[in-house]
Amino acid sequence: MSSNSVRRVKSVVEKEIWKSFELRDCRRAYGQFYINKGLELEDISVLMGRGTTKTTELYYCRKRESVVIEKAKDLW
């Protein structure tokens, strides 16, 4: 999609939900969705077009503490 097309779709969505949002929020939601579902950070970075996981982890998604604690409990 061209950037103009993306802006038009964003405008339509904002009107439908009666709320304004930043496109960066969509990217964060995308990354966080996949990390919460268990996809590895390296794979999410590839999907997001990143060469390394540093930017992905810093700006777009982090593992939730509760998920990590549950995984650690399962190992015992």
Side-chain angles (χ1 to χ4, degrees), residues 1 4 6 11-12 17 22 29 67 76:
M1 283 183 115
N4 285 337
V6 171
S11 178
V12 169
I17 66 172
E22 295 293 323
V67 172
W76 287 93

Side-chain angles (χ1 to χ4, degrees), residues 14-40:
E14 287 177 333
K15 286 177 186 174
E16 285 291 319
I17 66 172
W18 296 37
K19 185 164 176 74
S20 180
F21 63 91
E22 295 293 323
L23 289 173
R24 284 179 298 221
D25 296 334
C26 296
R27 201 159 166 82
R28 287 184 193 110
Y30 177 81
Q32 194 62 51
F33 171 81
Y34 279 116
I35 201 88
N36 292 346
K37 292 292 186 179
L39 194 62
E40 294 298 322

Side-chain angles (χ1 to χ4, degrees), residues 22-76:
E22 295 293 323
L23 289 173
R24 284 179 298 221
D25 296 334
C26 296
R27 201 159 166 82
R28 287 184 193 110
Y30 177 81
Q32 194 62 51
F33 171 81
Y34 279 116
I35 201 88
N36 292 346
K37 292 292 186 179
L39 194 62
E40 294 298 322
L41 186 61
E42 292 82 10
D43 297 333
I44 297 168
S45 291
V46 170
L47 286 173
M48 296 180 91
R50 297 284 170 198
T52 68
T53 60
K54 185 176 180 179
T55 302
T56 305
E57 185 174 19
L58 186 61
Y59 294 106
Y60 298 116
C61 58
R62 292 195 186 252
K63 287 189 178 183
R64 292 188 176 154
E65 184 179 4
S66 60
V67 172
V68 174
I69 290 171
E70 286 304 313
K71 280 186 173 184
K73 284 180 184 177
D74 290 342
L75 294 176
W76 287 93

Side-chain angles (χ1 to χ4, degrees), residues 2-12 23:
S2 70
S3 57
N4 285 337
S5 296
V6 171
R7 281 192 289 274
R8 273 186 257 134
V9 169
K10 177 184 179 281
S11 178
V12 169
L23 289 173

